[in-house]
Amino acid sequence: MTTHPLVADLVTAFKTEGRIVIVGASLAGLRAAEALREEGFHGSLTIIGDEPHEPYDRPPLSKQVLKGWVPADHTKLPRVRPVEADWRLGVAATGLDRANRQVLLADGDKVGYDRLLIATGTRARPWFNAEEGALDGVFTLRTCDDAARLQAALRAHPARVLVVGSGFIGSEMASVCCDLGLPVTVAERSDAPLVGPLGGVIGEIAADMQRDAGVDLRTGVSVEALDRDADGHVRRARLSDGTTLDVDVVVASLGSIRNVEWLEGADLATGFWGVGCDAGCRAFDINGVVTDNIFVAGDIARAPHVLYGYQFLSLEHWDNAVSGAEVAAHNMVSLETQRRPHLPLPSFWSGQFGINIKGVGVCSFGDEIVFTQGSVEDRRFAAAYGRRGRIVGAVTFDHGKWLPYYAAMIERSAPFPPPPPGYDQPKDARPVPARFRDPRVPTELPDVVLTGHDPTSRGAEFRPTKR
Ligand code: FAD
């Protein structure tokens, strides 16, 4: 397609003289900045981050850092290429003035932009009772400072650790406690760990893994209150089944909250699930009209996905932050006809209880599951998820080398159950219900959230509940 020279000149001029501001100086922010320079953007680039640290990696925080293998301040993200930019670290963006194209900062400064990337991610959901949450010995885990504090508490050999919530991060923390020889209780409101992202069938396997490793796993219960001693340290947890537990350390692993507050009043499509954007990472305004100069990437983005019925997906996965940042950066400095869609096949991983769990697709979009390879007893298997006769996701336990096989089928919407790969066939390869929760009864939230407008879709509405 030929482009009018005037339009092409505008893009070229923008690449030389334009001003881009990125808010959020973490994985998505850094990778977008690198990609912008890679795309030939030579204009001014400002990166604003409320944390004082250079961009660092979060996945090791709940794994190697908690184990004490790596200091919490040693997970800086490797730089793919040098980035010439004005780094404004340790200062939060507090507002967005779209009319004047300015980001307002907590220190009173204003930074002008021609194009803006929103990459402010999420934060840990705090304990529901602020007074209890402030007690010594009560933690959440999102930042490297959180990890440093929690690791120090674990190093002090607490008599018992209580992890509240057993999604991926809660389960990883319980696993670390076992590795460190610490007595650990996990309290989970669902009937098994990992039910949100992987359903009850896999949850049962995860529960067995935890119990075999020595975790005191309590399911179907919530923690209703935390009691303190005279020094303001947490000492006891009261559970909904009437039991109490003596504890020294409590880690609330209750999911995350998207950092959208600074956008209040900016009339963008912001809300509980993040910032709505199109598949090209352009933010929607409050009326659902796409903006042309504001882009979104990473955990905070919420975009429709062609493979999943055009439902809006909010993905909290490392790979999604990287690929979203790269597409957003490309589209920020490209002619309209050269823009790319961000339609990643979601993928995730987790290491816990000696097992490498990997997944691809959106498992929670499925309602059936079939074990396709390996052996559940040996905890070395692959399983596929299906919905309405097509494969939508897959998970592997110590069987990750097969993921590309399933990814290719998901990408072409292959039939479910998928044909057996002819290798390592399990004893029983019949599909069964995957046992995801009823989305209208929120407990902990899955790390992939489907929020379409179909009233039967999962994750329809958030109603805050006490755990
Ligand atoms: P974030 O990393 O959340 O970064 C957003 C940044 O913006 C933060 O620095 C935040 O402080 C800053 N910010 C927020 N508001 C403002 C503001 N108003 N002004 C300025 N700055 C602001 N994913 C996997 O796929 N596999 C894993 O094994 C895995 N393990 C994880 C373990 C832990 C403990 C955690 C916390 C996450 C893990 N993840 C994992 C998820 C992965 O780390 C995230 O998907 C990724 O960090 C998202 O990057 P992001 O840049 O979008 O958001």
Side-chain angles (χ1 to χ4, degrees):
M1 188 186 290
T2 50
T3 308
H4 193 286
L6 189 62
V7 178
D9 286 352
L10 283 175
V11 172
T12 307
F14 175 72
K15 279 177 136 176
T16 316
E17 296 157 17
R19 297 168 306 164
I20 291 184
V21 172
I22 296 175
V23 184
S26 182
L27 180 62
L30 174 64
R31 291 292 177 253
E34 290 168 341
L36 282 167
R37 292 304 191 205
E38 201 65 42
E39 294 272 348
F41 176 70
H42 299 295
S44 105
L45 181 58
T46 306
I47 306 172
I48 298 161
D50 62 358
E51 295 187 77
H53 312 288
E54 278 183 48
Y56 59 88
D57 214 8
R58 296 181 203 275
L61 301 181
S62 54
K63 306 171 184 78
Q64 295 87 342
V65 170
L66 277 197
K67 274 192 200 164
W69 290 355
V70 179
D73 58 356
H74 277 46
T75 74
K76 287 205 173 34
L77 280 163
R79 300 293 175 100
V80 176
R81 55 161 291 151
V83 175
E84 195 199 315
D86 180 13
W87 290 83
R88 308 284 295 265
L89 298 180
V91 57
T94 51
L96 177 61
D97 176 353
R98 283 175 60 207
N100 294 302
R101 296 198 171 181
Q102 287 179 330
V103 175
L104 317 182
L105 301 189
D107 62 8
D109 215 350
K110 296 175 180 172
V111 186
Y113 66 87
D114 300 311
R115 298 223 161 130
L116 170 71
L117 178 68
I118 298 171
T120 45
T122 66
R123 60 184 184 275
R125 179 176 301 286
W127 187 247
F128 59 85
N129 177 320
E131 211 174 298
E132 294 173 3
L135 296 177
D136 281 348
V138 180
F139 300 88
T140 55
L141 179 59
R142 179 77 199 175
T143 67
C144 62
D145 296 328
D146 296 338
R149 283 190 289 268
L150 179 54
Q151 214 285 320
L154 299 184
R155 239 184 3 245
H157 300 293
R160 178 156 298 274
V161 178
L162 169 63
V163 178
V164 188
S166 62
F168 281 118
I169 294 176
S171 299
E172 286 175 3
M173 290 192 287
S175 168
V176 167
C177 290
C178 292
D179 291 345
L180 296 175
L182 300 172
V184 55
T185 298
V186 170
E188 167 56 52
R189 206 144 89 164
S190 305
D191 49 13
L194 304 183
V195 168
L198 298 178
V201 173
I202 297 294
E204 245 173 50
I205 298 166
D208 288 344
M209 276 162 47
Q210 296 211 3
R211 292 197 168 109
D212 289 356
V215 173
D216 167 31
L217 175 64
R218 317 265 184 109
T219 55
V221 291
S222 46
V223 177
E224 299 203 314
L226 300 175
D227 297 338
R228 47 171 283 175
D229 64 13
D231 297 328
H233 197 291
V234 66
R235 288 298 170 215
R236 192 181 307 116
R238 282 186 267 143
L239 276 60
S240 57
D241 61 3
T243 57
T244 60
L245 205 63
D246 290 340
V247 291
D248 288 340
V249 168
V250 175
V251 196
S253 188
L254 309 176
S256 51
I257 296 179
R258 287 163 178 80
N259 293 317
V260 292
E261 292 82 354
W262 70 281
L263 294 166
E264 197 183 329
D267 284 354
L268 291 176
T270 56
F272 180 80
W273 301 117
V275 183
C277 59
D278 73 357
C281 308
R282 293 178 302 176
F284 291 131
D285 77 5
I286 199 166
N287 295 313
V289 176
V290 79
T291 60
D292 212 27
N293 59 349
I294 303 180
F295 292 71
V296 199
D299 282 8
I300 196 161
R302 174 177 180 264
H305 201 303
V306 59
L307 272 181
Y308 296 100
Y310 292 96
Q311 286 208 41
F312 281 78
L313 302 192
S314 300
L315 299 164
E316 291 182 58
H317 297 325
W318 197 96
D319 287 5
N320 173 65
V322 173
S323 58
E326 288 169 354
V327 173
H330 172 82
N331 290 348
M332 286 171 103
V333 296
S334 293
L335 285 167
E336 191 189 327
T337 48
Q338 286 161 12
R339 286 186 176 152
R340 296 202 304 251
H342 180 229
L343 296 173
L345 192 59
S347 64
F348 58 89
W349 76 90
S350 172
Q352 46 186 279
F353 305 100
I355 306 280
N356 187 356
I357 302 176
K358 286 188 170 180
V360 66
V362 179
C363 301
S364 56
F365 194 75
D367 43 28
E368 285 186 290
I369 186 171
V370 61
F371 290 94
T372 46
Q373 285 176 283
S375 141
V376 172
E377 293 77 47
D378 297 346
R379 290 176 192 152
R380 194 190 47 78
F381 62 81
Y385 291 81
R387 173 168 156 134
R388 295 186 189 154
R390 71 179 183 90
I391 176 170
V392 295
V395 67
T396 59
F397 278 43
D398 275 352
H399 230 45
K401 66 180 177 183
W402 280 93
L403 268 193
Y405 171 80
Y406 296 97
M409 283 194 288
I410 298 165
E411 270 174 336
R412 59 172 200 273
S413 289
F416 177 89
Y423 167 84
D424 202 10
Q425 204 116 334
K427 279 186 235 145
D428 188 356
R430 278 171 308 177
V432 293
R435 298 195 351 240
F436 284 100
R437 280 188 311 259
D438 180 343
R440 288 154 299 186
V441 184
T443 54
E444 117 282 354
L445 296 162
D447 64 349
V448 174
V449 182
L450 307 172
T451 56
H453 298 289
D454 171 359
T456 61
S457 74
R458 298 183 193 287
E461 188 190 330
F462 173 69
R463 273 160 285 156
T465 48
K466 217 165 67 146
R467 305 190 58 98

